[in-house]
Amino acid sequence: MKIVVTGGLGFIGSHTVVELQNEGFEVVAIDNLSNSSESVLDGIFNITGKKPIFEKMDLRDKASVQDFFKKHNDVAGVIHFAASKAVGESVENPLLYYENNINSLVYLLQELKELPNANFIFSSSCTVYGQAEKMPITENAPVQQAMSPYGNTKQIGEEIINDVAKVTNINSILLRYFNPIGAHQSAEIGELPLGVPQNLVPFITQTGLGLRQELSVYGNDYPTPDGTCIRDYIHVVDLAKAHVIALQRLLDKKNLEKVETFNLGTGTGSSVLEVITAFEKVSGQKLPYKIVSRREGDVIEAFANTDKASAVLGWKTQYNLEEAVDSAWKWEKKVRMQ
């Protein structure tokens, strides 16, 4: 079965390509290389013994999307990762986020609805919950007003998929994930942001190697035990495996609704300072950091209730915070030594 993975050379996309190929799927990876590198294909090959079909293209170009589906008219499913994903950047450049995250989704769905059988996995986010009133967050928690343009694009994306599913043959699963970190245990692929990292763990590992002078911790006056924000950090391999399970559910026609929603996290919240402590433990070194003012768009805390994913998908996480941070550190060191 041919599966399309958009953003397939990105952080989560590349790990999902590996898991799909390990399960015997034929994978076509689409990526515009705006935040990834073609060298990721070598890492995928070194793990699985096979490279996915790679199509370099920008999903904002409608004609390119149309041409792609003419060429690949035997697609059994699409896993859609391709999107801009940094909260802070989205506040500064909202139009980039609306164009990249919404237009590409619309163009994909326009082609998918023409297929006889369309299965669509959407990379959503816990940001749709905003600052949730109760922890841990269940799938029934109200979708709050978005605190950033990035969060808003995920809410709008979910709404578009729900509207389209009502009137087409598209079946979809929305995966709302919390904070993916880590790298493949082989250290062949991992998170490699271009430019200054927008996410905590790659900034930590780059600081640990001396590539960054120090880490900025945005606020230590939040109403949490140590004053720093709390997030649910999930190992990227656990996350990738969940995508394969969700896709198989649609392929087997086991979904009970046209659109199903699942939270993907560990069920445990960790503060920024706890992540720093985990890094210091696995690396054996102190991390230079400073406390700076709060960052616009950050929620106080967010961690998942994973009961639904566990019960319905039969999925559970295997890795803890230290193991995830350790894998990210091994990956960072390997990349910089090349």
Side-chain angles (χ1 to χ4, degrees):
M1 280 189 173
K2 185 184 283 186
I3 305 301
V4 174
V5 180
T6 74
L9 302 194
F11 175 40
I12 308 170
S14 60
H15 287 82
T16 302
V17 169
V18 164
E19 297 303 326
L20 286 166
Q21 291 191 168
N22 283 343
E23 292 296 320
F25 289 101
E26 180 185 6
V27 180
V28 185
I30 295 175
D31 208 298
N32 68 357
L33 304 181
S34 64
N35 196 32
S36 58
S37 163
E38 205 165 334
S39 64
V40 174
L41 290 166
D42 297 325
I44 293 171
F45 176 79
N46 291 341
I47 298 168
T48 66
K50 184 180 179 184
K51 283 187 182 180
I53 301 164
F54 175 55
E55 299 275 4
K56 184 185 176 186
M57 59 181 282
D58 194 321
L59 293 171
R60 292 174 293 184
D61 181 356
K62 185 174 182 175
S64 295
V65 179
Q66 292 171 328
D67 291 342
F68 174 87
F69 280 95
K70 284 175 191 159
K71 181 179 176 183
H72 298 281
N73 58 5
D74 55 344
V75 170
V78 172
I79 303 180
H80 181 42
F81 294 108
S84 303
K85 63 179 178 58
V87 168
E89 183 186 47
S90 77
V91 174
E92 294 164 9
N93 195 350
L95 286 175
L96 167 71
Y97 275 67
Y98 288 117
E99 181 191 29
N100 199 33
N101 295 8
I102 303 301
N103 290 13
S104 58
L105 172 64
V106 169
Y107 299 154
L108 276 173
L109 294 175
Q110 284 174 335
E111 299 309 308
L112 277 179
K113 71 179 176 60
E114 302 303 321
L115 297 179
N117 196 7
N119 300 296
F120 189 71
I121 306 292
F122 182 59
S123 164
S124 192
S125 167
C126 64
T127 57
V128 302
Y129 299 116
Q131 180 54 68
E133 289 156 17
K134 286 184 186 172
M135 297 292 146
I137 302 168
T138 71
E139 290 82 356
N140 294 325
V143 171
Q144 308 260 26
Q145 182 174 353
M147 296 182 71
S148 68
Y150 164 69
N152 202 25
T153 64
K154 291 303 181 184
Q155 290 184 11
I156 295 167
E158 288 194 3
E159 290 168 4
I160 290 170
I161 292 164
N162 274 293
D163 288 341
V164 172
K166 289 172 188 169
V167 293
T168 67
N169 59 348
I170 296 174
N171 287 280
S172 182
I173 291 180
L174 315 176
L175 296 177
R176 293 174 176 166
Y177 28 93
F178 283 66
N179 293 67
I181 61 169
H184 195 268
Q185 52 268 38
S186 65
E188 290 288 347
I189 56 174
E191 188 168 12
L192 190 62
L194 303 183
V196 179
Q198 300 278 349
N199 296 325
L200 177 62
V201 170
F203 209 112
I204 285 176
T205 55
Q206 288 189 17
T207 305
L209 271 186
L211 300 171
R212 308 281 162 199
Q213 189 174 358
E214 62 185 359
L215 172 75
S216 293
V217 176
Y218 296 102
N220 66 345
D221 57 350
Y222 285 97
T224 62
D226 64 22
T228 63
C229 290
I230 289 174
R231 298 289 182 271
D232 188 335
Y233 294 96
I234 176 173
H235 196 300
V236 65
V237 172
D238 283 330
L239 190 63
K241 289 178 186 292
H243 287 77
V244 181
I245 294 168
L247 175 70
Q248 195 65 58
R249 178 174 172 81
L250 293 182
L251 294 172
D252 294 342
K253 302 191 186 308
K254 289 183 176 175
N255 52 307
L256 302 179
E257 300 170 84
K258 291 275 288 178
V259 181
E260 294 183 325
T261 304
F262 297 94
N263 284 341
L264 297 180
T266 65
T268 302
S270 302
S271 73
V272 175
L273 293 183
E274 286 173 329
V275 179
I276 291 172
T277 300
F279 171 79
E280 291 179 337
K281 184 174 178 183
V282 301
S283 69
Q285 65 186 64
K286 295 298 285 183
L287 187 81
Y289 69 89
K290 66 177 178 183
I291 307 295
V292 298
S293 58
R294 292 185 181 192
R295 180 173 57 180
E296 189 178 351
D298 277 341
V299 299
I300 300 164
E301 64 177 342
F303 56 97
N305 179 313
T306 58
D307 291 350
K308 184 179 176 186
S310 175
V312 178
L313 298 179
W315 169 85
K316 281 188 171 67
T317 56
Q318 295 176 291
Y319 299 98
N320 63 28
L321 178 64
E322 282 184 12
E323 290 167 330
V325 172
D326 187 45
S327 67
W329 180 229
K330 285 175 178 162
W331 159 250
E332 187 75 58
K333 288 189 290 186
K334 181 188 176 191
V335 167
R336 302 305 168 184
M337 288 171 185
Q338 289 174 352

